[in-house]
Amino acid sequence: MRYFIGNWKMFGIPKSINILNKINSFHSKDKNRKKYRVIITPPYTLIESYSKHFKNKKILIGSQNCYQKDQFSSNTAAVSPYMIRSVGAKYTLVGHSDNRSEGDTSKMLKRKVEFALNNNLKVVFCIGEGRSDKKNKKTFKVLKNQIIKVLEKKFYSNNIIVAYEPIWSIGTGKIPNKDELTKTITYIKKVLKNIYKKSPAVLYGGSVDGNNVEMFKQITEIDGFLIGGASKSSKKFIDIIKNYYR
Ligand code: 13P
């Protein structure tokens, strides 16, 4: 199974659903549709209406984050996995670099993963090294730490997907070269196999578009993509899928 996940970040109002209607109608007619899953993570404000709209359709809706507590608490503006699940989301991102840079620690992320899984949300756990980590050849060390500090053996790994997003590649148009990326994805899977018998799916994210997906698709270890900018346009998002299967 391959995954094409569109992370809208701080984008979207109710009528932006038109973008998803187009993606959904492409997906439902695509001859390759059984080979992949489309998940979109709109902002919290749209999860309920979009989940209802696509209830019996192909597109699945997820959240971009969740709070590290179960059910309810007294934290202003916090939204728990339980609340997210109750409005129809099936997935949640956890550990996106945007949230790590605003203070999400591994300790917090572990709780987020645990509570999300307990509330029947599948988790897309994001990891990635920064520009200086890469320059100082610390990439593997950073990635390993990000994984082992959060993903516990007791977590149900069938409901976990890992997304590798090098921070220097997010929104920059810069992408890793093929050899480098093959080695990194292979390494991530090796670390995951030390925790779980079988590695969860590992996605790539960072400046993915309809042109460079030609290179990414040659790396068979990559199980799919976490797409930011290009997921805000139905044409760009569909082009990525089309070119992937061409
Ligand atoms: P871009 O595709 O815009 O680089 O964003 C990647 C990302 O952060 C998705 O979560």
Side-chain angles (χ1 to χ4, degrees), residues 27 29-36 241 245-246:
H27 185 18
K29 290 182 218 119
D30 185 11
K31 65 176 189 308
N32 294 307
R33 67 184 174 276
K34 297 228 163 66
K35 299 181 187 158
Y36 64 93
I241 301 176
Y245 286 107
R246 198 164 53 195

Side-chain angles (χ1 to χ4, degrees), residues 7 9 93 96 98 165 169-172 205-208 226-230:
N7 176 16
K9 310 187 183 182
L93 307 183
H96 192 280
D98 290 339
E165 298 204 294
S169 170
I170 296 175
T172 59
S207 296
V208 177
L226 183 51
I227 301 154

